[in-house]
Amino acid sequence: KEPKVKKDKTRHLFTKAESKLLTLDQIKEDEVSRYNSKSEELNRVLGGGIVPGSLTLMGGEPGIGKSTLLLQVSKNFAEQNLTVLYVSAEESSRQLRLRANRLGIKPDCKEILVYAENNLNSIINEIESLEPNLVIIDSIQAVYMAELDSVPGSPSQIRDCTGNLMRLAKSINVPIFIVGHINKE
């Protein structure tokens, strides 16, 4: 079974989003829809589910289960025939496959697409091309923009990469989760 990919390929980063002033009563209730993560606790934390066009930081110390939780959310999306792009910027695709096996995700699952990449421009191109229902960036500290003179994980790289991902999420109305590790620094 092929991934469910949106057919409209006319969206372009930073040019498609049209902003205009609205009063709250001008926004239709059905325009405030949410994806059900199939995790009662996560849905509650997110105010009822995952909002399209949102950027959510999943932060915490290394090893507490951020990646595992987001891979479980990916599985839940896949079970709803929704496409997930899991950008594995830190771990190899083989490491991610081992975790998926432990979580019972079938190897022939076509809705979860893994992209082992660190370059933000390549990641953005893939997101724009695929237009998935959910994007996970794991982790933001490993992602970089080549045009910046700082190293991946530096405050300027994290700030600029996150800002670009926020604009992308709003531009193409896709929810993006970014994993961020909290450490001594």
Side-chain angles (χ1 to χ4, degrees), residues 11-41:
R11 296 178 177 165
H12 298 288
L13 182 60
F14 311 134
T15 59
K16 174 65 176 166
E18 295 176 18
S19 298
K20 60 182 178 178
L21 293 173
L22 299 171
T23 60
L24 288 175
D25 64 342
Q26 291 174 311
I27 303 169
K28 297 176 186 165
E29 292 258 348
D30 61 349
E31 291 178 10
V32 188
S33 62
R34 297 172 185 265
Y35 287 113
N36 183 354
S37 73
K38 301 289 184 179
S39 166
E40 185 179 326
E41 296 84 5

Side-chain angles (χ1 to χ4, degrees), residues 125-154:
N125 287 339
E126 197 63 41
I127 294 168
E128 287 182 317
S129 172
L130 181 62
E131 294 186 21
N133 300 103
L134 175 66
V135 174
I136 296 168
I137 309 289
D138 188 2
S139 78
I140 193 65
Q141 279 97 339
V143 176
Y144 71 93
M145 293 173 58
E147 53 271 20
L148 297 179
D149 289 333
S150 54
V151 296
S154 67

Side-chain angles (χ1 to χ4, degrees), residues 50-179:
I50 300 170
V51 178
S54 65
L55 180 75
T56 305
L57 170 64
M58 180 75 65
E61 295 177 8
I64 65 166
K66 300 176 297 295
S67 300
T68 299
L69 174 63
L70 290 174
L71 198 53
Q72 288 172 324
V73 170
S74 299
K75 177 183 178 185
N76 295 340
F77 264 60
E79 290 171 352
Q80 299 174 68
N81 292 320
L82 298 171
T83 304
V84 177
L85 177 61
Y86 197 110
V87 179
S88 186
E90 193 168 325
E91 294 183 333
S92 72
S93 52
R94 288 186 181 101
Q95 287 173 296
L96 194 62
R97 166 80 188 264
L98 290 172
R99 182 178 293 119
N101 287 345
R102 288 194 305 272
L103 295 174
I105 299 172
K106 296 178 181 174
D108 63 348
C109 176
K110 302 290 188 220
E111 288 81 14
I112 300 174
L113 304 168
V114 178
Y115 188 44
E117 181 59 63
N118 302 78
N119 184 303
L120 185 66
N121 291 328
S122 297
I123 293 167
I124 287 173
N125 287 339
E126 197 63 41
I127 294 168
E128 287 182 317
S129 172
L130 181 62
E131 294 186 21
N133 300 103
L134 175 66
V135 174
I136 296 168
I137 309 289
D138 188 2
S139 78
I140 193 65
Q141 279 97 339
V143 176
Y144 71 93
M145 293 173 58
E147 53 271 20
L148 297 179
D149 289 333
S150 54
V151 296
S154 67
S156 61
Q157 284 281 358
I158 293 172
R159 181 184 58 244
D160 288 358
C161 288
T162 301
N164 278 299
L165 289 168
M166 166 99 52
R167 286 186 289 280
L168 175 64
K170 290 176 184 255
S171 172
I172 65 171
N173 203 35
V174 63
I176 299 177
F177 277 84
I178 57 174
V179 173

